[in-house]
């Protein structure tokens, strides 16, 4: 979970790991699966993945799902 500078809980403490927010989205890990959430804590993806990693050059998100991998745009749509 995450708290803001005023110590208010902004993301519930239900996740094993939460990345820093980028463009108002953060990657989270729960039950060994990754998801992408917005600042309200709502998932922006249709499903969870084995791994997510943001590309620092394009801000697209690389994903792994049962060995095939691909690329998501900032809206969670598969582009590759």
């Amino acid at each position: 979970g995450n708290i803001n500078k005023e110590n208010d809980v902004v993301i519930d403490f239900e996740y094993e790991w939460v990345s820093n927010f980028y463009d108002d989205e953060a990657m989270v890990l729960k039950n060994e699966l990754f998801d992408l959430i917005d600042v309200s804590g709502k998932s922006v993806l249709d499903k969870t993945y084995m791994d997510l990693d943001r590309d620092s050059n394009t801000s697209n998100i690389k994903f792994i799902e049962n060995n095939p991998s691909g690329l998501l745009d900032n809206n969670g749509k598969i582009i590759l």
Side-chain angles (χ1 to χ4, degrees):
N2 283 359
I3 57 173
N4 62 17
K5 292 177 182 177
E6 291 78 32
N7 288 327
D8 299 321
V9 174
V10 287
I11 301 298
D12 286 333
F13 288 86
E14 63 183 283
Y15 301 105
E16 299 156 27
W17 175 80
V18 178
S19 73
N20 291 325
F21 277 88
Y22 181 86
D23 285 340
D24 293 330
E25 297 173 337
M27 291 178 278
V28 293
L29 176 65
K30 182 177 179 181
N31 299 325
E32 299 182 17
L33 293 172
F34 286 87
D35 199 354
L36 191 66
I37 60 171
D38 63 19
V39 293
S40 72
K42 181 181 176 192
S43 175
V44 298
L45 301 177
D46 293 332
K47 58 183 174 178
T48 55
Y49 293 94
M50 294 173 63
D51 192 20
L52 293 176
D53 184 34
R54 189 175 298 276
D55 184 310
S56 60
N57 295 319
T58 65
S59 75
N60 290 326
I61 300 165
K62 302 174 203 172
F63 71 87
I64 297 176
E65 177 184 39
N66 297 328
N67 287 330
S69 61
L71 202 59
L72 302 168
D73 68 12
N74 288 339
N75 298 315
K77 307 255 188 236
I78 295 176
I79 57 176
L80 180 64

